[in-house]
Amino acid sequence: MPIYLDNNATTRTDPAVVASMLPYFTEQFGNASSAHAFGSEVAIGLKAARKSLQALLGAAFDHEIVFTSGGTESDNTAILSSLDVQEGRDEIVTSAVEHPAVLAVVEHLQATRGIKAHIIGVDASGRLDLDAYARALGPRTALATVMWANNETGTLFPVAHLADLAHAAGALFHTDAVQAVGKVPIDLQATPIDMLSLSGHKLHGPKGIGALYLRKGIKFSPLVRGGPQERRRRGGTENVPGIIGLGKAAELALAHLKAAPDEIGDLRNRLEHGVVQQIGHCQVLGDRENRLPNTSNVAFEHLEGEAILHHLNRAGIAASLGSACSSGSMEPSHVLRAMDVPAAALRGAIRFSFSRENTVEEVDRVLQVLPEVITKLRTLSPT
Ligand code: PLP
């Protein structure tokens, strides 16, 4: 059986999620806006899914959840909305390690609308430069947007504190929590952020569905305009099966977080301990104290990550480059470059990302294969 350790890229849709969706294609196929039984039974399903998301996020109201097509749309929406509603403010503060779903939007706005962006750096562990962040906020800041957890290293950011600082400057605060939701407990009644993005396919839900949490009372300007769906915050007939599946995925994620809070972290730690013990000249990247429990980014010095992945793949083990290259280029990613990872380690970084479906046996198999792969490649490597 192949071993899948690339769960930050995407997760397997849980069979229970698929089962929950199926009736919404063929039996409950109505349009939630229709004033007949076909419509109302779908509206009831959508409400239940919204409640499941509310529970997973610890949100005060279910209507704070706006369904979107995924993390990318939620990020775009939050950023563009903030510039619309924050009159007289034309600056954005963000981090150098955001996903392109944030950074590409910010760059586009800089180029086309003259928005000023403050891109805050990180230290060698991927931690945000808090002084620079505080200094960048001011009377012209429309929005501060900093991710809850980094997709490449798993590093967690102190979003509650960052939100307080943003609010003190009169700015809105958004967080891309695509990698955090379902992996760490979230309590939005105790965390003063205004907007949060999440994505179904990162938590065993379907692809092409996500949500934007929008705190009650926050001014908002829709990105997708059209019909009155989602309380006029996102036009278009809802992706009903997707939303139902996302609701089920949220319910399962919350149950797993409560029932086995340490399970995934234990697997990750077992892998890391084994790797560090058995293989020399490697380092674990990211903030070791504040990290997603499922993510391990290990740099094997003087090796090419692609070669390691190739050998792992041949042995039936799927992981990914720790420093995901931008498409078509062999340049290491902006995340590890922002962390100033030394050149000898930069290219040999591999990301292992776990889910609740992984097992101890799988970790032990990786610990059998990986040292052999590294030894073999090092024997061949000129450095
Ligand atoms: N933000 C982060 C941190 C991600 O890891 C991803 C997906 O890789 C996204 C946003 C984009 O989400 P989606 O694939 O749902 O558009």
Side-chain angles (χ1 to χ4, degrees), residues 6-51:
D6 199 11
N7 288 282
N8 285 8
T10 198
T11 54
R12 185 171 85 110
T13 314
D14 194 300
V17 167
V18 178
S20 76
M21 295 168 69
L22 289 178
Y24 286 86
F25 289 101
T26 48
E27 291 148 36
Q28 280 128 280
F29 59 84
N31 185 323
S33 307
S34 298
H36 47 61
F38 288 89
S40 52
E41 63 185 11
V42 169
I44 290 169
L46 296 186
K47 173 95 174 159
R50 222 179 289 280
K51 289 248 167 237

Side-chain angles (χ1 to χ4, degrees), residues 15-362:
V17 167
V18 178
S20 76
M21 295 168 69
L22 289 178
Y24 286 86
F25 289 101
T26 48
E27 291 148 36
Q28 280 128 280
F29 59 84
N31 185 323
S33 307
S34 298
H36 47 61
F38 288 89
S40 52
E41 63 185 11
V42 169
I44 290 169
L46 296 186
K47 173 95 174 159
R50 222 179 289 280
K51 289 248 167 237
S52 298
L53 264 295
Q54 178 194 357
L56 180 61
L57 299 178
F61 306 98
D62 65 357
H63 60 73
E64 292 175 317
I65 310 296
V66 180
F67 291 113
T68 67
S69 67
T72 302
E73 183 189 320
S74 298
D75 287 345
N76 274 254
T77 305
I79 295 168
L80 291 162
S81 167
S82 303
L83 290 168
D84 272 3
V85 301
Q86 290 272 72
E87 270 169 44
R89 291 171 176 258
D90 58 357
E91 296 187 9
I92 294 177
V93 178
T94 188
S95 87
V97 296
E98 297 299 308
H99 190 273
V102 167
L103 283 180
V105 186
V106 171
E107 279 163 22
H108 179 71
L109 290 169
Q110 278 180 294
T112 57
R113 281 172 53 176
I115 299 301
K116 183 166 178 193
H118 301 263
I119 315 274
I120 309 303
V122 296
D123 68 10
S125 300
R127 287 179 297 223
L128 195 72
D129 180 341
L130 290 178
D131 290 339
Y133 174 83
R135 277 199 308 274
L137 294 164
R140 297 190 65 170
T141 314
L143 174 76
T145 172
V146 178
M147 64 202 332
W148 196 301
N150 184 265
N151 43 306
E152 292 188 25
T153 62
T155 298
L156 294 164
F157 291 88
V159 286
H161 179 54
L162 299 176
D164 282 339
L165 292 173
H167 290 155
L172 289 169
F173 186 83
H174 163 255
T175 184
D176 175 340
V178 165
Q179 292 293 345
V181 172
K183 295 175 187 161
V184 289
I186 289 184
D187 179 2
L188 291 184
Q189 284 179 75
T191 315
I193 62 150
D194 302 308
M195 290 171 285
L196 172 149
S197 302
L198 65 91
S199 172
H201 72 103
K202 308 288 185 179
L203 60 144
H204 303 284
K207 295 172 180 59
I209 188 75
L212 177 67
Y213 162 85
L214 195 59
R215 188 175 293 277
K216 187 180 176 196
I218 295 299
K219 279 200 198 161
F220 180 69
S221 166
L223 173 68
V224 181
R225 291 171 191 270
Q229 292 88 357
E230 298 296 287
R231 295 182 170 221
R232 300 198 170 274
R233 295 169 301 181
R234 205 271 187 177
T237 302
E238 301 87 350
N239 170 1
V240 174
I243 293 172
I244 299 294
L246 174 56
K248 186 68 186 174
E251 187 190 312
L252 296 174
L254 184 58
H256 189 267
L257 270 176
K258 284 187 177 157
D262 300 326
E263 193 183 68
I264 297 177
D266 289 346
L267 291 177
R268 191 272 312 272
N269 295 342
R270 186 180 180 94
L271 178 78
E272 274 183 3
H273 291 150
V275 165
V276 171
Q277 256 177 11
Q278 294 186 50
I279 304 174
H281 298 284
C282 64
Q283 43 182 295
V284 176
L285 304 176
D287 184 350
R288 299 288 287 270
E289 271 96 59
N290 288 302
R291 214 165 28 134
L292 286 175
N294 83 315
T295 307
S296 180
N297 192 326
V298 188
F300 299 95
E301 292 168 15
H302 308 295
L303 289 179
E304 290 290 331
E306 306 234 322
I308 303 171
L309 282 188
H310 174 73
H311 281 81
L312 288 178
N313 189 38
R314 282 202 345 205
I317 299 167
S320 70
L321 286 180
S323 173
C325 295
S326 44
S327 54
S329 98
M330 290 305 291
E331 280 303 300
S333 83
H334 64 290
V335 176
L336 299 199
R337 275 188 283 131
M339 289 162 62
D340 249 338
V341 173
L346 198 52
R347 289 178 172 280
I350 301 292
R351 180 186 71 186
F352 302 95
S353 48
F354 293 80
S355 80
R356 61 176 183 252
E357 298 193 331
N358 292 119
T359 62
V360 171
E361 291 71 31
E362 289 179 334

